[in-house]
Amino acid sequence: MIFSEDKINEYMDLAIAEAKKAESRREVPIGCIIVDNQTGEVIARGSNEREETQNAIKHAEIIAIEAACKRIGSWRLEHTSLFVTLEPCPMCAGAIINSRIEEVIYGAKDPKAGSVGSINNLLAETRYNHQPEVLSGVKDQEAADLLRNFFREIRRKK
Amino acid sequence: MIFSEDKINEYMDLAIAEAKKAESRREVPIGCIIVDNQTGEVIARGSNEREETQNAIKHAEIIAIEAACKRIGSWRLEHTSLFVTLEPCPMCAGAIINSRIEEVIYGAKDPKAGSVGSINNLLAETRYNHQPEVLSGVKDQEAADLLRNFFREIRRKK
C-alpha cells in the first residue's frame, strides 16, 4: 500500500462522510473518494445517487471515477487510489480496471454483489489488462453499521 | 429470445451503424442500441466516446443505458433488450446486471476483456441478483471486421 495505516484510516473517514451525505438524501449510504498517490490530495468524491437520478450507473465509485477523469483530463487514473465504504459490484470493479486505478481500499464486504472477493474477484483476474492492489476491511464495522441502520429504518417506516 | 431472427439482425445493423459513428470520430468502433421489448421501439443509442471525452466510463453500452434510464425515467430497464457489436467488458456486464436488462445480444467475442463468455461469464452468475438471456455471434464478422480495419489503419499511420 502506498499510504500509511493512519492515512488510510483518514481517507476512509472521508469516504464514510460521503456515505453519510447519500444517507441524508435517502440513498443507500455508500461513499467513495479518489486520492492522487503522488500529492495525497483528494481529487474526487462520490456518493450513491441511484434513486434520485433514477440512473442505474450512478454508484458512488462511478461518480468519483468520472469526476477524477474530468479533473485529471484523462481516462487513465494510473497514479490514484480509490477508497470506498462497500466492496465494489461488478460494474464498479470493471470501471476500476478500465480506469487503471492503482490501489483500491474498501470497507465492508458485500455478499450480494461484491466482486472484489465475495462473489468474484475481478481485480485479481490476470487475464484483464490491469490488476490494482486491494486492501479490504478498513473501518468495515462503521461502513456496515451505516448500511444496517439505513435498512432497519426503512423497514421500521413500512 | 423475444425478437425473431430477422428482427435481431435488423437491430444489430443499427448497433453497427452506431459503431461506424464512433469510427468516424476516430473512436474504437463499438456501438449499442436498447430496444423496448413490448413496442419494439429503439429507446436509446450509444457509441464509444472514451477518447474524445477522456472518460473511462464512456463505453457504448454505458451511454445507451444512461440514455434509456433517462428516457424511461427509471433505473430499472426490465423490459428491454441491449444489442452491442462487441462482447461487454466487466464494467458493462455489471451495468447490464444493475439495470436488470432482460436480453443481451452481442456480435464479436472480445478475448481481451469480454466478460460474457470469454474471460468470465458474469451474466450467467446466479449469485448476482439478475441473469439476462444472452445471444452471441450475431453479425460477428461484420463487427470484428470494423475493429480489425480500424486498428490496421492506426498501425498504418504510425
Side-chain angles (χ1 to χ4, degrees):
Chain A
M1 288 284 120
I2 286 161
F3 297 108
S4 67
E5 198 182 326
D6 281 357
K7 257 315 200 187
I8 287 172
N9 283 327
E10 254 179 59
Y11 286 132
M12 190 57 82
D13 280 337
L14 297 177
I16 290 170
E18 291 301 310
K20 287 178 180 167
K21 285 186 200 168
E23 186 180 34
S24 72
R25 299 189 317 267
R26 297 186 209 171
E27 296 278 351
V28 177
I30 304 163
C32 178
I33 66 160
I34 296 176
V35 176
D36 181 319
N37 289 343
Q38 287 156 335
T39 64
E41 192 191 353
V42 177
I43 58 167
R45 294 162 198 262
S47 59
N48 179 26
E49 295 182 5
R50 189 183 65 173
E51 297 301 329
E52 58 192 303
T53 61
Q54 287 296 311
N55 181 329
I57 311 298
K58 295 294 184 206
H59 285 195
E61 299 95 312
I62 299 288
I63 292 167
I65 289 171
E66 293 203 274
C69 289
K70 199 169 177 185
R71 169 76 177 268
I72 289 182
S74 171
W75 61 261
R76 290 178 185 85
L77 303 178
E78 277 151 352
H79 304 293
T80 66
S81 293
L82 181 143
F83 294 77
V84 60
T85 56
L86 187 68
E87 183 182 355
C89 79
M91 173 180 77
C92 293
I96 288 164
I97 294 169
N98 290 347
S99 58
R100 316 279 197 272
I101 287 171
E102 196 172 357
E103 294 196 345
V104 172
I105 299 93
Y106 72 84
K109 291 263 173 206
D110 180 6
K112 289 187 179 169
S115 298
V116 188
S118 292
I119 292 181
N120 256 305
N121 195 345
L122 300 178
L123 301 189
E125 173 54 73
T126 54
R127 285 174 298 169
Y128 293 129
N129 65 359
H130 177 65
Q131 292 85 46
E133 291 292 312
V134 174
L135 178 66
S136 64
V138 175
K139 302 217 170 204
D140 54 342
Q141 282 308 318
E142 205 172 325
D145 284 348
L146 262 176
L147 288 161
R148 210 171 3 249
N149 292 338
F150 178 81
F151 288 113
R152 184 183 295 145
E153 196 61 16
I154 284 181
R155 282 191 302 270
R156 199 183 59 78
K157 283 180 182 161
K158 269 184 182 166
Chain B
M1 287 286 119
I2 287 162
F3 297 107
S4 68
E5 198 181 325
D6 282 357
K7 256 318 202 184
I8 286 173
N9 283 326
E10 253 180 61
Y11 287 131
M12 190 57 83
D13 280 337
L14 297 177
I16 290 171
E18 290 302 309
K20 288 179 180 167
K21 285 186 200 169
E23 188 180 32
S24 72
R25 300 189 317 266
R26 296 184 209 172
E27 296 278 350
V28 177
I30 304 163
C32 178
I33 66 160
I34 296 176
V35 176
D36 181 319
N37 289 343
Q38 287 157 334
T39 65
E41 191 191 354
V42 177
I43 58 166
R45 294 163 199 261
S47 59
N48 179 26
E49 295 182 5
R50 188 183 66 173
E51 297 301 328
E52 56 192 307
T53 61
Q54 287 296 313
N55 181 329
I57 311 297
K58 294 296 183 203
H59 285 196
E61 299 96 312
I62 299 288
I63 292 167
I65 289 171
E66 293 203 273
C69 289
K70 199 169 177 186
R71 169 77 177 267
I72 290 182
S74 171
W75 62 261
R76 290 177 186 85
L77 303 178
E78 277 151 351
H79 305 293
T80 67
S81 293
L82 180 144
F83 294 77
V84 60
T85 56
L86 187 69
E87 182 182 354
C89 78
M91 174 179 77
C92 294
I96 288 163
I97 295 169
N98 290 348
S99 57
R100 316 280 199 271
I101 287 172
E102 197 173 353
E103 293 195 347
V104 173
I105 298 93
Y106 73 84
K109 291 265 175 205
D110 180 5
K112 289 186 181 172
S115 299
V116 188
S118 292
I119 292 180
N120 255 305
N121 195 345
L122 299 178
L123 301 188
E125 172 54 73
T126 55
R127 285 174 297 168
Y128 294 129
N129 65 358
H130 177 65
Q131 292 85 45
E133 291 293 311
V134 174
L135 178 66
S136 65
V138 175
K139 303 218 171 203
D140 53 342
Q141 282 308 317
E142 205 171 327
D145 284 348
L146 261 177
L147 287 161
R148 208 171 4 248
N149 293 338
F150 177 81
F151 287 114
R152 185 183 295 145
E153 196 62 16
I154 283 182
R155 282 192 301 271
R156 199 183 60 78
K157 282 179 182 161
K158 269 184 183 166

